[in-house]
Amino acid sequence: MTQHFGVWYRVGIFLCVLWVSRAAVAAEAYIVAPRDGEAVSNPVTVVFGLRGIGVAPAGVMQEGTGHHHLLIDTGLPDLDKPIPTDDQHRHFGGGQTEVTLELEPGTHTLQLLLGDYAHIPHTPPVVSAPITITVE
């Protein structure tokens, strides 16, 4: 009987790992608006999209959730550390799914990166494709 329990225990652990891994792989962040290549004027409203994972405020440790960070004119930060807080790394720890902001005229790149309750990117990272916009 104990031998059968051990086998079923290992099968259960495997299925749990598989389920969590599949959920993480299916997660996707994307920018709904503005569209890549779009010319916009101030103020610029950026609408965040998310699929396969939920939104929860920073500080709330809940499996399968995170909160948005908007990267402006910068590449991805170190994915093993908390996402920096500065003008190029905007935090939305309240669970916000859009922002209206003022950007200098010119070309800008925008990208979303989801962070966990402690602002650390998920593994694998849930990150959008970067988009380029022109503020006129």
Side-chain angles (χ1 to χ4, degrees):
M1 181 87 157
T2 305
Q3 182 181 24
H4 292 296
F5 175 77
V7 169
W8 285 113
Y9 179 77
R10 285 191 296 274
V11 168
I13 293 296
F14 171 76
L15 291 175
C16 286
V17 168
L18 180 63
W19 179 78
V20 169
S21 297
R22 288 183 64 198
V25 169
E28 176 189 7
Y30 56 96
I31 296 175
V32 176
R35 292 183 314 273
D36 188 31
E38 189 173 353
V40 297
S41 57
N42 279 312
V44 179
T45 298
V46 182
V47 180
F48 314 151
L50 196 57
R51 210 175 282 134
I53 194 168
V55 174
V60 174
M61 188 187 307
Q62 184 175 346
E63 189 67 34
T65 66
H67 63 278
H68 292 287
H69 298 82
L70 179 63
L71 310 181
I72 303 171
D73 297 329
T74 189
L76 291 174
D78 185 338
L79 299 176
D80 295 324
K81 296 181 180 172
I83 300 165
T85 301
D86 56 35
D87 286 342
Q88 292 182 298
H89 303 86
R90 306 279 179 97
H91 288 244
F92 298 94
Q96 303 94 313
T97 57
E98 69 176 59
V99 64
T100 299
L101 47 87
E102 296 281 330
L103 294 171
E104 293 293 323
T107 301
H108 297 279
T109 60
L110 306 176
Q111 188 171 25
L112 291 174
L113 176 60
L114 206 68
D116 68 8
Y117 69 98
H119 304 281
I120 298 173
H122 293 76
T123 303
V126 180
V127 61
S128 73
I131 68 163
T132 302
I133 62 169
T134 302
V135 178
E136 299 176 330

